[in-house]
Amino acid sequence: MGQLDGKIALVTGAARGIGQAIAVKLASEGADMALCDVQADWLAETAAKVAGLGRKAECIAVDVSKAEQVQAAIERAEKAFGRIDVLVNNAGITRDTFLVRMSEEDWDQVLDINLKGAFLFIKAAARGMMKQRRGAIVNVASIIGLIGNAGQCNYSASKAGLIALTKSVAREFASRGIRANAVAPGFIQTRMTDQLAEEIKNKMLGAIPLGRFGQPEDVANVVTFLASDASSYVTGQVLTICGGMVM
């Protein structure tokens, strides 16, 4: 038996990288999956992996920054599966540059997708979770939301806001049996980070006490714990997944 047998989970940004790893891990633990990304055709690979584990997958195209699309995505997932037990807000982007060069558009896009998107999905999913008096919300933040980083003022603000949102949601919904937690990954190897210069990667590696970069599966394992009943007494917490970069 898996930790999530009989559960229904929705993951945003599920097409690749950390989001795909989370979706596949949740499915491996028994959850049927609502897979969300900005273009549904990007989700084919994730859906195939979920199906290969014997679980159902519903692919949903959604721009997480648009309230009407988010509401439609929740309604479609609930129609397909009857309910949502687990919500993982993973969708996120970067638009890195120093603050004095950062355009208002760069600021708005990052805050809209990384922070507003989570707000919209929580608000839309919470109605059903409150009725069933149970649910687990996991927000994918970043250690940059805890320590900041030069050239990432917009990203760090969005992730810090996501951490604060998580704590407030945890307080608001605890009496309804809904838990909310966040994970804060450090340097995780994905297609995006593979494009960084070797000099930058070597510098970051030197700051990691465990001496290795993280893998998407490292994040997925912690998200699965927070989504499962194994963490039934855990809410309002931020778990860093960074090899010791932040202690």
Side-chain angles (χ1 to χ4, degrees), residues 1 10 14 23 43 52 57 65 77 95 97 104 121 139 147 154 165 182 184 191 219-220 238:
M1 292 181 61
L10 185 152
L43 292 164
S65 68
R95 294 288 185 270
T97 189
E104 189 173 347
F121 261 97
N139 296 321
I147 64 175
N154 47 3
L165 174 65
R191 295 176 193 173
V219 180
V238 183

Side-chain angles (χ1 to χ4, degrees), residues 49-222:
K49 291 185 177 184
V50 169
L53 293 165
R55 307 314 311 169
K56 297 177 182 176
E58 182 80 5
C59 296
I60 305 171
V62 57
D63 179 340
V64 301
S65 68
K66 306 297 184 185
E68 66 279 4
Q69 292 190 34
V70 171
Q71 184 61 42
I74 292 294
E75 291 174 359
R76 180 170 165 183
E78 290 176 339
K79 182 177 180 180
F81 297 112
R83 67 185 190 281
I84 297 170
D85 300 304
V86 177
L87 168 65
V88 181
N89 286 304
N90 168 73
I93 64 168
T94 58
R95 294 288 185 270
D96 296 348
T97 189
F98 291 113
L99 187 142
V100 293
R101 301 174 186 166
M102 186 175 292
S103 68
E104 189 173 347
E105 182 182 12
D106 286 339
W107 175 272
D108 288 345
Q109 283 186 340
V110 171
L111 270 291
D112 281 352
I113 292 174
N114 297 8
L115 182 55
K116 181 183 176 183
F119 156 71
L120 292 174
F121 261 97
I122 292 169
K123 183 176 180 180
R127 295 184 179 94
M129 289 182 174
M130 286 191 290
K131 288 180 181 178
Q132 63 202 31
R133 300 193 70 81
R134 68 179 185 277
I137 299 167
V138 185
N139 296 321
V140 180
S142 168
I143 61 167
I144 303 306
L146 296 170
I147 64 175
N149 194 34
Q152 289 191 305
C153 285
N154 47 3
Y155 184 76
S156 60
S158 72
K159 294 302 187 177
L162 188 56
I163 289 168
L165 174 65
T166 301
K167 292 177 178 290
S168 294
V169 166
R171 291 186 182 277
E172 285 193 20
F173 292 151
S175 64
R176 302 296 185 94
I178 302 169
R179 299 180 297 107
N181 292 286
V183 296
F187 192 103
I188 306 297
Q189 280 190 299
T190 63
R191 295 176 193 173
M192 184 185 301
T193 58
D194 285 343
Q195 297 174 9
L196 294 175
E198 286 300 317
E199 180 183 353
I200 295 174
K201 288 192 281 189
N202 289 335
K203 182 178 179 181
M204 296 190 74
L205 185 61
I208 301 172
L210 283 183
R212 71 171 178 89
F213 297 132
Q215 299 299 317
E217 290 74 20
D218 292 318
V219 180
N221 290 336
V222 179

